[in-house]
Amino acid sequence: MLKTHKVLTKNKNYNKYGYLKLKKQLSLKLIKEIKNDISSLKTKFIYKDRFGKIRRIENITKKTKNLKKLNQIIIKKIHTKFGKKLKIFKDKCNFKPPGGAGFDAHYDGIFYFKNKRNIKKEGWNEYSNFFINALIPLDKCNKKNGALEIAKWHNKEFKDLIKNTNNDGSPMIKKSIEKKLSFKRIDLSLGDILFFSNKCPHRSKKNFSKTSRMILYYTYSKSKTDNYKKYFKHKMESRNKNSKSLTG
Ligand SMILES: O=C(O)CCC(=O)C(=O)O
């Protein structure tokens, strides 16, 4: 477990809110090619909803030339905008098919899990004390298809944040806390990137549109060592099967 402390960036707006939307950052050609790549990716990390629909695939960044390129572009942008040299920590592509449920309010990485030796571990805090998520829309995100809703970050330590969660092996935020928060929906066009801290409460609604909504969600961490392989290995071995809850 790492010693935690509050980390700020060189971006004043990000430091205040814990998130930052940047418009028109990526070429539409790259986005289109990535969307194509995703349809034929192979990974062991596939998650389905209760209707058997694929809702998430993980461990994908290093699988195609375009996804690797995107990773490098984002690493550079994080360095320029936030003054941080971060490494890829984990990744996922979320699918929200028509009628697909949203997500209840949660942080990312704020949960306890048991490793293969049955030892209790502190979620992402085991790997780093600073994370930035980069959300890259592969389809536009809006009110109708359940864009991400986000609240100002709680820039506190793991031991404080865990008290705001249900503490059930997932990072879900207690309803009593969620009620007091003010969420803002962040609509995104292709080419935009939403950067946000894992300490921002966030949630999303069901997809009420007739088309699928796909997003890439890359997470970067401050760390001397490469945690990417380690994270997915530990995830495979973890005895904790609790995940974020879909709203339906
Ligand atoms: O895909 C969404 O609508 C939200 C996803 C999310 O909050 C998450 O995967 O942590």
Side-chain angles (χ1 to χ4, degrees):
M1 185 199 350
L2 293 163
K3 238 177 129 196
T4 50
H5 62 272
K6 293 181 189 178
V7 189
L8 295 175
T9 75
K10 75 171 196 190
N11 188 291
K12 281 197 183 128
N13 229 13
Y14 187 88
N15 292 344
K16 185 165 177 200
Y17 296 102
Y19 62 89
L20 185 74
K21 169 177 159 177
L22 297 180
K23 289 189 183 175
K24 297 190 176 164
Q25 298 293 304
L26 301 165
S27 88
L28 299 187
K29 183 172 170 278
L30 180 63
I31 299 288
K32 203 172 157 196
E33 285 177 5
I34 286 176
K35 229 178 142 176
N36 243 343
D37 290 354
I38 298 275
S39 59
S40 55
L41 278 189
K42 292 205 173 27
T43 170
K44 284 185 198 147
F45 295 86
I46 301 175
Y47 303 84
K48 295 182 180 172
D49 63 17
R50 64 192 177 97
F51 305 107
K53 294 235 160 108
I54 295 183
R55 295 300 307 269
R56 192 166 91 231
I57 57 171
E58 297 185 342
N59 197 212
I60 56 174
T61 310
K62 302 188 179 172
K63 299 228 152 121
T64 77
K65 184 173 84 2
N66 292 315
L67 286 164
K68 282 186 208 159
K69 182 173 167 187
L70 177 66
N71 181 34
Q72 290 311 319
I73 293 173
I74 294 180
I75 286 173
K76 275 197 200 122
K77 286 192 192 288
I78 290 177
H79 191 216
T80 317
K81 288 282 161 195
F82 306 108
K84 300 271 175 207
K85 281 198 169 161
L86 303 186
K87 293 190 175 76
I88 184 83
F89 171 62
K90 68 184 287 286
D91 55 31
K92 59 188 171 191
C93 178
N94 281 2
F95 303 89
K96 205 182 263 184
F103 287 77
D104 285 323
H106 58 277
Y107 301 114
D108 287 334
I110 309 293
F111 54 85
Y112 288 112
F113 69 96
K114 291 224 171 120
N115 71 5
K116 64 175 180 184
R117 290 190 194 88
N118 218 18
I119 296 166
K120 192 172 167 184
K121 296 280 177 183
E122 290 188 350
W124 295 3
N125 207 32
E126 298 291 335
Y127 307 91
S128 175
N129 54 23
F130 186 77
F131 299 89
I132 294 184
N133 291 321
L135 195 162
I136 302 104
L138 298 181
D139 296 298
K140 63 178 189 255
C141 299
N142 52 32
K143 185 173 180 188
K144 207 156 181 203
N145 67 13
L148 199 82
E149 298 173 17
I150 197 159
K152 203 171 160 176
W153 66 341
H154 298 155
N155 193 10
K156 294 185 181 166
E157 297 181 4
F158 181 94
K159 65 176 170 42
D160 301 312
L161 297 181
I162 195 82
K163 292 181 197 147
N164 290 346
T165 73
N166 294 334
N167 202 350
D168 58 358
S170 83
M172 308 312 297
I173 292 174
K174 286 180 186 158
K175 285 285 170 203
S176 56
I177 302 280
E178 182 185 358
K179 266 191 236 156
K180 293 184 205 147
L181 300 174
S182 169
F183 287 86
K184 190 174 172 202
R185 196 187 71 241
I186 312 286
D187 290 349
L188 295 168
S189 301
L190 295 186
D192 297 349
I193 307 177
L194 172 66
F195 290 102
F196 64 106
S197 164
N198 66 312
K199 296 176 178 181
C200 284
H202 54 285
R203 65 185 184 192
S204 70
K205 296 210 170 62
K206 180 174 170 171
N207 182 356
F208 288 101
S209 80
K210 291 195 174 72
T211 53
S212 179
R213 191 234 56 186
M214 218 195 275
I215 57 171
L216 280 177
Y217 202 124
Y218 282 6
T219 301
Y220 294 84
S221 67
K222 187 163 85 59
S223 160
K224 286 198 182 87
T225 55
D226 185 347
N227 281 320
Y228 186 82
K229 253 195 188 158
K230 207 155 87 181
Y231 168 82
F232 283 107
K233 182 173 179 286
H234 291 170
K235 187 162 183 172
M236 271 292 186
E237 293 167 354
S238 166
R239 292 164 188 243
N240 176 4
K241 298 299 166 212
N242 262 13
S243 193
K244 289 164 189 169
S245 37
L246 294 169
T247 55

